[in-house]
Amino acid sequence: MATYGESMKSYFASNGRTRELQGHSSKVHSVAWSCDGRKLASGSFDKTVIIFVQDKDRYVKDLTFRGHGDSVDQLCWHPTHPDLLATASGDKTVRIWDARSNRSVSTINTKGENINICWSPDGSTIAVGNKDDLVTFIDTKSHRSKGDEQFKFEVNEISWNNEGDLFFLTSGQGTIHILSYPDLKLQAVLNAHPANCICIEFDPTGRYFATGSADALVSLWDVSELICVRTFSRLEWPVRTLSFSHDGKMLASASEDLVIDIAEVETGEKIAEVPCESPTFTVAWHPKQHLLAFACDDKQRDRDRDRDAGTVKIFGLPSDP
């Protein structure tokens, strides 16, 4: 009987095609799937958000959200509502969008240039971090800030755990700070990496979280024990982005390496690698299928080919016969 890793290697041998989706005029910073997997959103330096939807065997542009006055640096969908999307921008605002009406339903002014954003698992709160290491918590019913937390270290990425009772931050010191939520009392500081700890991602099963670092390593942590159980070391450049597959059994990681590494979580072995022509800064597994969305810094390549620079890609589609 084939192992999971062997089965997925065989699967991607037959479903290893990458398709490009065009629409942005500049670099794409963030991609994310809606909770039902029916929509794929991308946020770009061109100040817009594009929603792609599936049309038979391909994905097509459905909506374009405009309104931000600066780059859309990160976006996230509501955890249970498939039409609500939140975006963080350098224009010092957070916007909430409704894909049913193609409009912004709320604009929340914040105190700085926003670079990361996440939604609490229960959907009640949005957290947004800015370039000055200030994290603002926004009530999603009133669309108003319900508090700020200033940190004295470089905050790179933020996330709740799956239960929503702990809040995690990765730091420029290579540490992971864990706070209780909602009172934000420090519970633990994990010395995760000897270099800048860039990104963090929780697996859908709630068993693990992973961090990516400037030391080019990905660390896998046991959520309950808060111990590192495995590292992945096939990349050679700082790890910028991570995503777990919907079953929690695969982990995609990407950097300035010209490949995206897809590893089996339980063994650390390589299942597949996705070739890229330029650095990759965002990856996202589909919530129900083995489809990986990603975007690369392909501005130079596309300028040479005289076409739009902001390309979203999807890996895991059936190969052409």
Side-chain angles (χ1 to χ4, degrees), residues 257-268:
D257 290 73
L258 299 184
V259 295
I260 299 170
D261 183 76
I262 299 177
E264 183 176 5
V265 169
E266 287 300 335
T267 66

Side-chain angles (χ1 to χ4, degrees), residues 20-175:
E20 295 187 357
L21 313 177
Q22 297 191 22
H24 290 288
S25 61
S26 193
K27 182 170 70 173
V28 175
H29 287 156
S30 182
V31 294
W33 299 92
S34 59
C35 61
D36 62 1
R38 294 182 178 179
K39 303 177 187 70
L40 174 64
S42 57
S44 169
F45 184 77
D46 69 9
K47 308 176 187 177
T48 70
V49 176
I50 290 178
I51 307 296
F52 299 94
V53 296
Q54 189 171 8
D55 180 18
K56 298 179 181 177
D57 63 342
R58 62 195 183 106
Y59 284 82
V60 297
K61 183 167 71 170
D62 183 47
L63 301 170
T64 301
F65 294 154
R66 293 182 174 88
H68 276 300
D70 204 340
S71 170
V72 179
D73 279 359
Q74 200 169 57
L75 52 80
C76 60
W77 290 90
H78 189 288
T80 58
H81 194 309
D83 292 302
L84 293 182
L85 177 73
T87 52
S89 171
D91 66 4
K92 299 184 179 181
T93 70
V94 168
R95 283 181 179 249
I96 300 174
W97 310 83
D98 190 328
R100 295 166 298 186
S101 58
N102 190 18
R103 68 183 183 92
S104 170
V105 296
S106 183
T107 301
I108 301 104
N109 293 314
T110 58
K111 295 179 179 178
E113 297 178 42
N114 301 308
I115 55 175
N116 47 48
I117 191 167
C118 61
W119 216 307
S120 65
D122 64 3
S124 68
T125 308
I126 293 170
V128 58
N130 69 25
K131 289 183 177 179
D132 298 317
D133 308 312
L134 179 78
V135 177
T136 299
F137 295 90
I138 298 166
D139 185 291
T140 55
K141 287 186 177 179
S142 67
H143 295 166
R144 294 185 178 185
S145 169
K146 57 181 183 180
D148 299 312
E149 193 75 15
Q150 179 67 59
F151 295 93
K152 297 180 180 179
F153 54 84
E154 178 185 321
V155 176
N156 288 319
E157 199 158 72
I158 54 179
S159 179
W160 275 274
N161 64 343
N162 293 14
E163 290 72 32
D165 60 351
L166 294 173
F167 193 73
F168 287 64
L169 309 96
T170 62
S171 85
Q173 304 162 339
T175 53

Side-chain angles (χ1 to χ4, degrees), residues 10-19 54 56-59 289-291 314-321:
S10 176
Y11 175 85
F12 287 126
S14 301
N15 299 272
R17 185 163 58 97
T18 298
R19 172 164 286 175
Q54 189 171 8
K56 298 179 181 177
D57 63 342
R58 62 195 183 106
Y59 284 82
Q289 302 175 46
H290 293 126
L291 295 175
I314 299 178
F315 168 77
L317 297 165
S319 300
D320 293 324

Side-chain angles (χ1 to χ4, degrees), residues 213-231:
S213 169
D215 62 11
L217 292 176
V218 175
S219 296
L220 184 73
W221 295 77
D222 183 289
V223 169
S224 58
E225 300 292 334
L226 295 180
I227 57 172
C228 179
V229 295
R230 193 166 295 110
T231 58

Side-chain angles (χ1 to χ4, degrees), residues 137 149 151 153 165-169 177-181 183-188:
F137 295 90
E149 193 75 15
F151 295 93
F153 54 84
D165 60 351
L166 294 173
F167 193 73
F168 287 64
L169 309 96
H177 293 246
I178 305 172
L179 312 177
S180 55
Y181 187 81
D183 56 358
L184 299 177
K185 302 297 183 184
L186 183 64
Q187 302 298 305

